[in-house]
Amino acid sequence: MRAVENWIEPRLPDLLGIGVDVAALTRKAADRAVDDLFALVQRDPAGMGSWEYVLDSYACFQAILAHRFTHGLLTCGQGDPRRRRTMARKLSEEAKVRTGVEIHPAATIGPRFVVDHGIGTVIGEDVTIGADCYVLQGVVLGALGIADNVAGRRHPRLGDRVQVGGFARVLGPISVGDDVTIGSHALVRADVPAGAQVVVLHQYQMVTGPRPITVYGVEALGEYRFRLHGTGLDRHGVEVDLLGPTHLPLASGDWSVLQGNAKCITVQISPRAHGLRSVAHIRLRHAGSEVTVGIPLAKRHRKGPIRHPASR
């Protein structure tokens, strides 16, 4: 609670003048923020397992702490509603400048929420976020339009246990189901069903040698089967590798080339391949040229809330 009190102290006379119970708002914000704090400590290895370290040094957590108070102030129903709304927005704007994270006071955010890194993240006015969600830097949860948006719901709703990768944009009055993962740089403008993944399918890294390899498309034939389209893929000496998280080739038993010709190669990946995560990489090499393609795999997710040590 001391962290909340320190943050609002410069504005305390203004808050008392509005006619709100500042002590009650502070306790409520602190109670919610404790769960947010321990969720970040547990889920981010950089936090080194220390809530003291995160509390004292993470600006991204301070952004959540500020929102817990400003949302409570906006919705508490005490005092002059116009002055509450103005003060909530002032505090929110100050937190945006200090932390680099913009969260509108009216946004509704469930328990154990994490913004990691956070710079450039924007969460709009009528966004609703469920429990145990995790958002990275540069994420925008906003409207489809720029200026002159139609009044009413214009921002997304996220279910429970949703993860949003860096610089993804989720726009419009859409619904994202529980246990969804949205990959980095994805643009989401339509509803996403529970348990789904949204990824940027074509992620190429190309190194051109004397005889270039060209890949211009990836076709998903199933959860673990993909067809790469290109040119010259049947050249003698073309090597195909499946790369693990460290970008080292995995054992040949974890995948196989089902068929191939000059224009396409079909790759089957074993669901039991050791060490794979939500995105795998297939690498084609030939005579000094190589193309690495990122592809999505079926997600293995956990269910249930994150519990901090005090609740065990």
Side-chain angles (χ1 to χ4, degrees), residues 64-266:
I64 306 305
L65 183 66
H67 176 73
R68 293 304 187 192
F69 185 86
T70 59
H71 183 74
L73 174 62
L74 182 67
T75 59
C76 69
Q78 303 170 3
D80 183 340
R82 183 188 64 81
R83 294 180 67 189
R84 280 194 291 109
R85 183 171 62 249
T86 300
M87 181 56 63
R89 190 59 187 260
K90 281 184 176 180
L91 291 170
S92 177
E93 291 292 314
E94 290 172 4
K96 175 180 71 174
V97 172
R98 189 169 66 252
T99 68
V101 179
E102 180 174 356
I103 308 176
H104 195 285
T108 302
I109 299 177
R112 300 175 296 277
F113 180 57
V114 175
V115 173
D116 195 359
H117 301 293
I119 291 294
T121 291
V122 178
I123 299 176
E125 180 180 12
D126 56 348
V127 168
T128 300
I129 298 175
D132 301 296
C133 291
Y134 201 108
V135 172
L136 289 180
Q137 72 280 359
V139 167
V140 176
L141 307 179
L144 280 169
I146 300 175
D148 307 311
N149 284 292
V150 177
R153 184 184 167 215
R154 61 192 186 279
H155 295 148
R157 294 174 179 166
L158 274 57
D160 298 337
R161 299 174 297 279
V162 174
Q163 300 182 45
V164 187
F167 307 102
R169 293 149 293 163
V170 186
L171 306 179
I174 65 173
S175 295
V176 177
D178 298 343
D179 301 297
V180 167
T181 297
I182 298 173
S184 298
H185 295 278
L187 172 60
V188 183
R189 299 172 56 173
D191 291 351
V192 181
Q197 286 181 276
V198 181
V199 299
V200 179
L201 182 59
H202 298 168
Q203 300 181 51
Y204 300 137
Q205 176 179 321
M206 302 182 65
V207 178
T208 302
R211 302 188 66 186
I213 299 172
T214 301
V215 173
Y216 55 75
V218 178
E219 178 185 4
L221 304 179
E223 290 182 340
Y224 295 96
R225 183 176 297 182
F226 298 88
R227 181 175 293 145
L228 280 61
H229 296 269
T231 58
L233 302 182
D234 62 344
R235 290 173 178 164
H236 178 72
V238 169
E239 299 179 19
V240 183
D241 294 311
L242 177 67
L243 306 181
T246 60
H247 275 241
L248 294 176
L250 298 182
S252 58
D254 288 334
W255 62 279
S256 60
V257 176
L258 298 183
Q259 60 182 18
N261 55 48
K263 295 184 177 180
C264 66
I265 291 178
T266 302

